[in-house]
Amino acid sequence: MSLALLVAFALSACSSGNDDQKSAEALACLSYGDEGRVADAAVLAGLASPGTSPGTVRVGGRDESPRVWRSSNPTPFASACAIVVSANKLDAGSSEGASSGGSIWTVLWPLVAGAALTLVTTFATTGWSQRMAEARRHSAALRAAAADYAAEVDLFMAAATNPDQPEPAEGELGARRRKLRQVLDETPRPLRIDAPATAGRLLGDGPIGRDLASGWSGREVRSRTSPRATAVDAAVTQLRSAVVAITTAQERPLRAAARRLLTTTRATPRPRKATI
Protein backbone atom coordinates (compact mmCIF):
# COMPACT_ATOMS: atom_id res chain seq x y z
CA MET A 1 0.00 0.00 0.00
CA SER A 2 1.41 3.41 -0.95
CA LEU A 3 2.81 5.48 1.89
CA ALA A 4 1.16 8.60 0.48
CA LEU A 5 -2.29 7.00 0.85
CA LEU A 6 -1.63 6.21 4.50
CA VAL A 7 -0.52 9.63 5.72
CA ALA A 8 -4.02 11.04 6.22
CA PHE A 9 -5.02 8.00 8.27
CA ALA A 10 -1.93 8.06 10.46
CA LEU A 11 -1.79 11.69 11.56
CA SER A 12 -3.14 10.89 15.03
CA ALA A 13 -0.61 8.20 15.82
CA CYS A 14 1.72 10.74 17.46
CA SER A 15 -0.68 11.07 20.39
CA SER A 16 -1.59 7.41 20.82
CA GLY A 17 1.46 5.85 22.43
CA ASN A 18 3.41 6.10 25.64
CA ASP A 19 7.11 6.93 25.91
CA ASP A 20 8.21 3.30 25.67
CA GLN A 21 6.21 2.78 22.51
CA LYS A 22 7.65 5.94 20.96
CA SER A 23 11.18 4.84 21.85
CA ALA A 24 10.56 1.45 20.26
CA GLU A 25 9.15 3.08 17.14
CA ALA A 26 12.15 5.40 16.91
CA LEU A 27 14.51 2.43 17.22
CA ALA A 28 12.65 0.64 14.43
CA CYS A 29 12.66 3.70 12.17
CA LEU A 30 16.39 4.25 12.61
CA SER A 31 17.53 0.61 12.62
CA TYR A 32 15.83 -1.11 9.71
CA GLY A 33 16.67 1.15 6.81
CA ASP A 34 13.49 3.20 7.15
CA GLU A 35 15.20 6.59 7.52
CA GLY A 36 14.34 7.46 3.93
CA ARG A 37 10.69 6.58 4.53
CA VAL A 38 10.69 8.73 7.67
CA ALA A 39 11.85 11.71 5.59
CA ASP A 40 9.20 10.97 2.93
CA ALA A 41 6.47 10.68 5.58
CA ALA A 42 7.56 13.96 7.18
CA VAL A 43 7.29 15.79 3.85
CA LEU A 44 3.97 14.19 2.87
CA ALA A 45 2.44 14.99 6.27
CA GLY A 46 3.66 18.58 6.19
CA LEU A 47 5.91 18.07 9.21
CA ALA A 48 9.05 19.27 7.42
CA SER A 49 10.27 20.54 4.06
CA PRO A 50 12.15 18.21 1.70
CA GLY A 51 15.92 18.33 1.91
CA THR A 52 18.20 18.82 -1.08
CA SER A 53 19.63 15.34 -0.58
CA PRO A 54 17.59 12.10 -0.70
CA GLY A 55 16.42 10.86 2.68
CA THR A 56 16.78 14.24 4.42
CA VAL A 57 14.51 17.05 5.58
CA ARG A 58 15.16 20.79 5.47
CA VAL A 59 15.28 22.42 8.91
CA GLY A 60 16.61 25.89 9.71
CA GLY A 61 18.19 26.29 6.29
CA ARG A 62 20.15 23.02 6.37
CA ASP A 63 19.59 19.36 5.50
CA GLU A 64 19.15 16.96 8.41
CA SER A 65 19.00 13.17 8.39
CA PRO A 66 16.10 11.65 10.35
CA ARG A 67 18.58 10.67 13.07
CA VAL A 68 19.71 14.29 13.51
CA TRP A 69 16.15 15.57 13.04
CA ARG A 70 15.02 13.38 15.94
CA SER A 71 17.41 15.23 18.26
CA SER A 72 16.51 18.73 17.06
CA ASN A 73 12.75 18.22 16.58
CA PRO A 74 11.61 15.14 18.53
CA THR A 75 7.85 15.77 18.29
CA PRO A 76 7.52 15.97 14.48
CA PHE A 77 10.01 13.10 14.16
CA ALA A 78 7.80 10.95 16.40
CA SER A 79 4.80 11.77 14.22
CA ALA A 80 6.62 10.84 11.00
CA CYS A 81 8.03 7.69 12.57
CA ALA A 82 4.57 6.62 13.78
CA ILE A 83 3.30 6.99 10.21
CA VAL A 84 6.08 4.75 8.91
CA VAL A 85 5.49 2.14 11.63
CA SER A 86 1.76 2.09 10.86
CA ALA A 87 2.46 1.80 7.15
CA ASN A 88 4.80 -1.12 7.76
CA LYS A 89 2.11 -2.88 9.80
CA LEU A 90 -0.42 -2.41 7.02
CA ASP A 91 2.03 -3.58 4.37
CA ALA A 92 2.80 -6.69 6.43
CA GLY A 93 -0.90 -7.38 6.87
CA SER A 94 -1.60 -6.97 3.17
CA SER A 95 1.10 -9.48 2.25
CA GLU A 96 -0.66 -12.20 4.22
CA GLY A 97 -3.66 -12.19 1.91
CA ALA A 98 -7.37 -11.98 2.54
CA SER A 99 -7.17 -13.87 5.84
CA SER A 100 -5.42 -10.90 7.45
CA GLY A 101 -8.16 -8.42 6.64
CA GLY A 102 -9.19 -8.24 10.29
CA SER A 103 -5.70 -7.32 11.45
CA ILE A 104 -5.45 -4.59 8.80
CA TRP A 105 -8.61 -2.91 10.01
CA THR A 106 -7.51 -3.34 13.62
CA VAL A 107 -4.63 -0.99 12.76
CA LEU A 108 -6.48 1.16 10.25
CA TRP A 109 -9.66 2.00 12.18
CA PRO A 110 -8.03 3.92 15.08
CA LEU A 111 -5.95 5.83 12.56
CA VAL A 112 -9.02 6.80 10.53
CA ALA A 113 -10.87 8.02 13.63
CA GLY A 114 -7.82 9.84 14.97
CA ALA A 115 -7.10 11.48 11.64
CA ALA A 116 -10.66 12.77 11.38
CA LEU A 117 -10.49 14.24 14.88
CA THR A 118 -7.07 15.79 14.17
CA LEU A 119 -8.25 17.42 10.94
CA VAL A 120 -11.41 18.84 12.53
CA THR A 121 -9.46 20.17 15.52
CA THR A 122 -6.77 21.68 13.29
CA PHE A 123 -9.25 23.49 11.04
CA ALA A 124 -11.31 24.73 14.00
CA THR A 125 -8.27 25.95 15.93
CA THR A 126 -6.73 27.65 12.90
CA GLY A 127 -9.98 29.41 12.00
CA TRP A 128 -10.54 30.57 15.57
CA SER A 129 -6.95 31.84 15.90
CA GLN A 130 -7.23 33.81 12.67
CA ARG A 131 -10.55 35.29 13.73
CA MET A 132 -9.22 36.36 17.12
CA ALA A 133 -6.07 37.88 15.60
CA GLU A 134 -8.21 39.94 13.22
CA ALA A 135 -10.49 40.97 16.10
CA ARG A 136 -7.54 42.18 18.15
CA ARG A 137 -6.16 44.18 15.21
CA HIS A 138 -9.51 45.85 14.57
CA SER A 139 -10.07 46.55 18.27
CA ALA A 140 -6.68 48.25 18.56
CA ALA A 141 -7.41 50.40 15.50
CA LEU A 142 -10.87 51.30 16.81
CA ARG A 143 -9.54 52.29 20.24
CA ALA A 144 -6.84 54.46 18.68
CA ALA A 145 -9.22 56.20 16.26
CA ALA A 146 -11.81 56.82 19.00
CA ALA A 147 -9.18 58.20 21.38
CA ASP A 148 -7.86 60.55 18.67
CA TYR A 149 -11.32 61.85 17.87
CA ALA A 150 -12.34 62.28 21.52
CA ALA A 151 -9.14 64.22 22.20
CA GLU A 152 -9.83 66.48 19.22
CA VAL A 153 -13.41 67.05 20.39
CA ASP A 154 -12.11 68.02 23.85
CA LEU A 155 -9.71 70.56 22.31
CA PHE A 156 -12.45 71.98 20.11
CA MET A 157 -14.92 72.25 22.98
CA ALA A 158 -12.37 74.02 25.19
CA ALA A 159 -12.27 76.80 22.60
CA ALA A 160 -15.95 76.65 21.62
CA THR A 161 -17.14 77.15 25.20
CA ASN A 162 -14.83 80.10 25.85
CA PRO A 163 -16.65 83.25 24.70
CA ASP A 164 -13.48 85.29 25.05
CA GLN A 165 -11.89 83.41 22.16
CA PRO A 166 -12.81 83.56 18.46
CA GLU A 167 -15.21 80.91 17.19
CA PRO A 168 -13.00 77.84 16.64
CA ALA A 169 -12.40 76.34 13.21
CA GLU A 170 -13.03 72.69 12.44
CA GLY A 171 -9.32 71.86 12.32
CA GLU A 172 -8.71 68.11 12.46
CA LEU A 173 -12.23 67.26 13.60
CA GLY A 174 -13.50 66.27 10.15
CA ALA A 175 -10.49 64.12 9.25
CA ARG A 176 -10.47 62.28 12.57
CA ARG A 177 -14.22 61.75 12.53
CA ARG A 178 -14.01 60.25 9.03
CA LYS A 179 -11.14 57.99 10.11
CA LEU A 180 -13.12 56.76 13.11
CA ARG A 181 -16.19 56.20 10.96
CA GLN A 182 -14.11 54.19 8.47
CA VAL A 183 -12.72 51.92 11.18
CA LEU A 184 -16.19 51.58 12.71
CA ASP A 185 -17.62 50.52 9.33
CA GLU A 186 -15.00 47.75 9.19
CA THR A 187 -16.33 46.15 12.37
CA PRO A 188 -16.89 42.42 11.69
CA ARG A 189 -20.53 41.42 11.52
CA PRO A 190 -22.56 40.25 13.22
CA LEU A 191 -21.70 41.24 16.78
CA ARG A 192 -25.36 41.06 17.90
CA ILE A 193 -25.00 44.24 19.96
CA ASP A 194 -26.30 47.77 19.45
CA ALA A 195 -22.98 49.53 20.07
CA PRO A 196 -21.85 49.83 16.40
CA ALA A 197 -25.19 51.40 15.40
CA THR A 198 -25.08 53.72 18.43
CA ALA A 199 -21.57 54.92 17.57
CA GLY A 200 -22.60 55.41 13.96
CA ARG A 201 -25.52 57.64 14.95
CA LEU A 202 -23.30 59.72 17.24
CA LEU A 203 -20.83 60.31 14.41
CA GLY A 204 -23.55 61.02 11.87
CA ASP A 205 -26.35 63.34 12.96
CA GLY A 206 -25.49 63.18 16.66
CA PRO A 207 -24.03 65.92 18.85
CA ILE A 208 -20.46 64.94 17.90
CA GLY A 209 -21.27 64.26 14.27
CA ARG A 210 -20.67 66.11 11.05
CA ASP A 211 -22.21 69.40 12.28
CA LEU A 212 -20.21 69.67 15.50
CA ALA A 213 -17.97 72.49 14.25
CA SER A 214 -20.82 74.78 13.18
CA GLY A 215 -23.25 76.95 15.12
CA TRP A 216 -21.03 78.24 17.93
CA SER A 217 -21.35 81.94 17.18
CA GLY A 218 -23.94 82.82 19.82
CA ARG A 219 -22.78 83.60 23.36
CA GLU A 220 -25.67 81.55 24.77
CA VAL A 221 -24.13 78.33 23.44
CA ARG A 222 -20.54 79.25 24.27
CA SER A 223 -20.77 78.04 27.82
CA ARG A 224 -19.65 74.75 29.29
CA THR A 225 -23.04 74.38 30.94
CA SER A 226 -25.10 75.16 27.85
CA PRO A 227 -27.47 72.41 26.67
CA ARG A 228 -25.42 71.87 23.52
CA ALA A 229 -22.11 71.57 25.37
CA THR A 230 -23.73 69.17 27.83
CA ALA A 231 -25.05 67.08 24.94
CA VAL A 232 -21.55 66.94 23.40
CA ASP A 233 -20.04 65.74 26.70
CA ALA A 234 -22.73 63.06 27.02
CA ALA A 235 -22.16 61.95 23.42
CA VAL A 236 -18.41 61.55 23.99
CA THR A 237 -19.17 59.37 27.03
CA GLN A 238 -21.59 57.30 24.95
CA LEU A 239 -18.98 56.92 22.21
CA ARG A 240 -16.39 55.65 24.65
CA SER A 241 -18.89 53.17 26.12
CA ALA A 242 -19.81 51.95 22.62
CA VAL A 243 -16.14 51.38 21.75
CA VAL A 244 -15.64 49.38 24.96
CA ALA A 245 -18.70 47.26 24.14
CA ILE A 246 -17.51 46.61 20.57
CA THR A 247 -13.95 45.69 21.50
CA THR A 248 -15.10 43.48 24.37
CA ALA A 249 -17.52 41.63 22.10
CA GLN A 250 -14.74 41.10 19.55
CA GLU A 251 -11.93 40.08 21.89
CA ARG A 252 -14.06 38.10 24.38
CA PRO A 253 -16.90 36.70 22.27
CA LEU A 254 -17.78 33.88 24.67
CA ARG A 255 -18.10 36.24 27.63
CA ALA A 256 -20.14 38.68 25.52
CA ALA A 257 -22.47 35.87 24.41
CA ALA A 258 -22.93 34.70 28.00
CA ARG A 259 -23.70 38.25 29.11
CA ARG A 260 -26.30 38.66 26.34
CA LEU A 261 -27.90 35.36 27.31
CA LEU A 262 -28.02 36.38 30.96
CA THR A 263 -29.49 39.77 30.10
CA THR A 264 -32.11 38.18 27.84
CA THR A 265 -33.03 35.65 30.52
CA ARG A 266 -33.48 38.33 33.16
CA ALA A 267 -35.48 40.53 30.81
CA THR A 268 -37.87 37.76 29.78
CA PRO A 269 -40.87 37.70 32.14
CA ARG A 270 -41.78 34.34 33.54
CA PRO A 271 -45.28 33.17 32.67
CA ARG A 272 -47.64 33.29 35.57
CA LYS A 273 -49.50 30.20 36.63
CA ALA A 274 -53.16 30.31 35.90
CA THR A 275 -55.35 30.47 38.95
CA ILE A 276 -58.70 28.84 39.16
Side-chain angles (χ1 to χ4, degrees):
M1 185 177 295
S2 172
L3 178 61
L5 296 178
L6 300 172
V7 172
F9 302 109
L11 286 175
S12 67
C14 62
S15 61
S16 61
N18 54 32
D19 293 341
D20 291 340
Q21 179 181 349
K22 290 181 179 179
S23 297
E25 290 176 351
L27 180 63
C29 289
L30 298 176
S31 300
Y32 301 135
D34 279 333
E35 289 193 41
R37 299 189 76 187
V38 172
D40 292 341
V43 173
L44 288 172
L47 299 170
S49 301
T52 57
S53 303
T56 63
V57 293
R58 194 75 173 171
V59 179
R62 66 178 185 276
D63 287 355
E64 290 186 356
S65 67
R67 190 177 299 272
V68 175
W69 187 46
R70 182 196 179 197
S71 299
S72 61
N73 294 271
T75 300
F77 169 84
S79 300
C81 182
I83 292 173
V84 173
V85 170
S86 298
N88 288 340
K89 290 180 181 179
L90 291 174
D91 287 342
S94 298
S95 64
E96 295 175 1
S99 61
S100 63
S103 62
I104 292 177
W105 283 106
T106 300
V107 176
L108 184 60
W109 174 245
L111 299 179
V112 172
L117 179 60
T118 300
L119 291 175
V120 170
T121 303
T122 299
F123 283 125
T125 303
T126 301
W128 180 259
S129 298
Q130 292 175 345
R131 176 181 175 183
M132 293 308 299
E134 179 61 30
R136 285 190 291 269
R137 284 193 294 268
H138 180 267
S139 293
L142 183 59
R143 289 191 188 97
D148 287 345
Y149 186 58
E152 194 66 27
V153 170
D154 288 342
L155 289 175
F156 177 85
M157 290 301 296
T161 55
N162 186 348
D164 296 330
Q165 294 185 7
E167 183 179 352
E170 182 180 37
E172 293 293 321
L173 272 178
R176 295 193 181 187
R177 182 186 63 82
R178 287 189 293 271
K179 174 62 177 178
L180 175 55
R181 187 59 187 263
Q182 178 185 351
V183 177
L184 184 65
D185 289 342
E186 294 171 355
T187 301
R189 299 292 194 274
L191 285 183
R192 303 184 184 279
I193 58 176
D194 297 331
T198 299
R201 288 193 296 270
L202 293 171
L203 297 173
D205 298 328
I208 55 174
R210 62 179 67 92
D211 296 329
L212 172 60
S214 60
W216 295 94
S217 57
R219 292 188 65 87
E220 66 276 5
V221 297
R222 301 198 65 181
S223 168
R224 200 67 193 181
T225 58
S226 69
R228 186 177 183 189
T230 301
V232 170
D233 290 342
V236 171
T237 300
Q238 285 182 281
L239 177 64
R240 290 186 172 123
S241 297
V243 169
V244 170
I246 293 170
T247 55
T248 300
Q250 287 189 130
E251 296 174 330
R252 301 177 179 179
L254 298 181
R255 177 180 296 184
R259 183 175 298 174
R260 287 198 306 272
L261 179 60
L262 181 61
T263 302
T264 302
T265 302
R266 289 177 175 175
T268 303
R270 295 182 179 179
R272 296 182 177 180
K273 294 182 179 181
T275 57
I276 300 177

